Amino acid sequence: MNIIHRKGWEISERDVTPEHLFLNRRSVLKGSAALGLGAIAPAGSALSATYPAPANAKFTGTPTPEDVASRYNNFYEFGLTKRAFVAAEALKPRPWRIKVDGLIDKPFEIEADDLIGKMTLEERIYRLRCVEAWSMVIPWTGFTLKQLVEFAKPSASAKYIRFETFFDPKVASGQRSFFPWPYVEGLTIEEATNDLSLMVTGVYGKQLPNVFGAPLRLMVPWKYGFKSIKSISRISFTDTRPQTFWEAAGPGEYGFWANVNPQVPHPRWSQASEEVVGTADRKPTQIFNGYGEFVADLYKGLEGEKLYM
Ligand code: MTE
């Protein structure tokens, strides 16, 4: 991951979709769903009726335009540029098996859509702050990770959840590169059961496109974006802190916690401000990406840890 310089194709602030237009678009989509009109979710989806999900009024904002957010992505399995959407088309997110194992009542494997079908979906607009010092605002659809934890029934000895992305270098050419594949991330059980932790199934009012991490990805908005692992194929409950992909790749630069903090620079750049993708703006970065009221308590007593890298 590197510092991002503004690209010529990024649009100016006046082109950002005003919130009322976005919300209006959502009610149009809802209306057409109620009328039974098709073409809301990709053809062949068993879940086309699920989108858009009811919006959670606690998490609102003005989203980055969809065409900007879906053309500026990090998905290293599909290359090192921001233009992963082209190569990511090779991914086949359905059918998709997810293994849930480790310290739980009964380890199991489940089809992603069957798992999603058991959960209550909602839409939340979250800020996304990448460790590369850029940010966006994205309307995600998903279910709380807490629901999945309750469904899996972990034993008392489970202290962490380890998430793993698929590994298929034939499909994901980036996985033929030197990185320590597959992509792995982890959370403590307390972080995972915090209300903010979302398992994402959709974005912009429809089923998740490949480039955003179909069919299922994590979104933990108070942490740098790299914690929000895409295209998850395995979820393991463990008593040991998992070593994450970026810790393995660059232990001097990336850690387990990765909470957003403007005061703690990355070893190679400042984290004090962020480029607002899709505008000409930079704005000051907020501690915990502005979500401190929900999560700051999780880190009491852990001050000795490297909480911000
Ligand atoms: N998950 C996987 N499997 N592979 C990745 O390369 N990149 C991470 C994260 N999740 C990444 C990943 C990083 S660095 C960021 S900033 C976010 O995804 C970007 O999410 P977005 O492309 O949906 O905006």
Side-chain angles (χ1 to χ4, degrees):
M1 290 181 278
N2 277 306
I3 304 179
I4 303 306
H5 298 289
R6 187 172 311 288
K7 308 289 188 301
W9 50 268
E10 284 175 14
I11 66 171
S12 67
E13 188 178 11
R14 67 176 191 282
D15 292 322
V16 175
T17 312
E19 182 177 16
H20 69 279
L21 290 182
F22 175 77
L23 293 174
N24 189 37
R25 174 181 165 273
R26 184 163 58 207
S27 50
V28 169
L29 286 173
K30 263 196 185 125
S32 46
L35 290 170
L37 305 176
I40 292 168
S45 160
L47 294 170
S48 48
T50 310
Y51 300 93
N56 183 329
K58 235 163 57 175
F59 305 106
T60 58
T62 305
T64 303
E66 183 179 354
D67 59 336
V68 174
S70 57
R71 296 288 181 275
Y72 193 90
N73 304 88
N74 280 336
F75 202 167
Y76 279 17
E77 284 83 346
F78 295 102
L80 302 185
T81 74
K82 292 283 173 288
R83 312 281 289 170
F85 69 95
V86 180
E89 282 309 303
L91 184 68
K92 299 266 171 295
R94 291 181 165 75
W96 187 277
R97 301 294 286 174
I98 298 181
K99 190 186 254 192
V100 184
D101 64 359
L103 302 170
I104 58 174
D105 194 21
K106 286 193 189 81
F108 59 96
E109 266 192 50
I110 190 166
E111 197 49 42
D113 280 344
D114 292 340
L115 179 66
I116 294 166
K118 292 179 192 304
M119 304 288 154
T120 304
L121 299 190
E122 60 180 271
E123 184 178 85
R124 296 180 177 196
I125 300 178
Y126 276 167
R127 292 179 291 280
L128 166 67
R129 171 58 159 85
C130 179
V131 75
E132 296 164 336
W134 54 260
S135 66
M136 298 196 208
V137 178
I138 304 206
W140 305 106
T141 302
F143 56 89
T144 54
L145 176 50
K146 189 172 185 218
Q147 289 181 62
L148 173 59
V149 172
E150 282 164 4
F151 182 71
K153 299 191 185 66
S155 65
S157 54
K159 303 284 182 244
Y160 299 91
I161 306 185
R162 179 185 183 277
F163 301 88
E164 191 177 292
T165 295
F166 72 92
F167 181 67
D168 188 352
K170 286 197 293 299
V171 169
S173 60
Q175 291 183 330
R176 291 177 226 147
S177 71
F178 58 90
F179 282 106
W181 305 108
Y183 201 100
V184 169
E185 261 307 337
L187 296 175
T188 65
I189 293 283
E190 291 74 23
E191 290 176 323
T193 51
N194 184 277
D195 184 46
L196 281 187
S197 296
L198 199 67
M199 295 302 286
V200 168
T201 64
V203 71
Y204 290 95
K206 55 197 170 204
Q207 199 170 64
L208 208 57
N210 288 354
V211 73
F212 283 105
L216 189 65
R217 60 98 54 91
L218 178 67
M219 183 47 58
V220 279
W222 71 99
K223 294 178 176 285
Y224 291 116
F226 67 83
K227 295 291 295 182
S228 293
I229 180 173
K230 297 180 173 185
S231 302
I232 295 167
S233 62
R234 186 173 178 191
I235 301 171
S236 309
F237 291 74
T238 159
D239 54 7
T240 321
R241 186 184 294 182
Q243 188 191 41
T244 70
F245 176 83
W246 286 109
E247 272 183 298
E253 303 202 346
Y254 305 102
F256 173 79
W257 298 101
N259 296 309
V260 175
N261 187 336
Q263 311 281 337
V264 180
H266 182 276
R268 289 186 283 135
W269 59 83
S270 166
Q271 295 291 22
S273 67
E274 61 206 47
E275 173 185 340
V276 183
V277 176
T279 77
D281 289 352
R282 280 199 87 80
K283 64 172 191 187
T285 290
Q286 305 179 75
I287 179 90
F288 295 117
N289 200 21
Y291 295 102
E293 63 175 300
F294 300 99
V295 295
D297 283 355
L298 291 170
Y299 306 103
K300 295 237 163 80
L302 293 171
E303 289 78 8
E305 298 264 339
K306 289 183 172 168
L307 291 173
Y308 305 106
M309 70 172 276

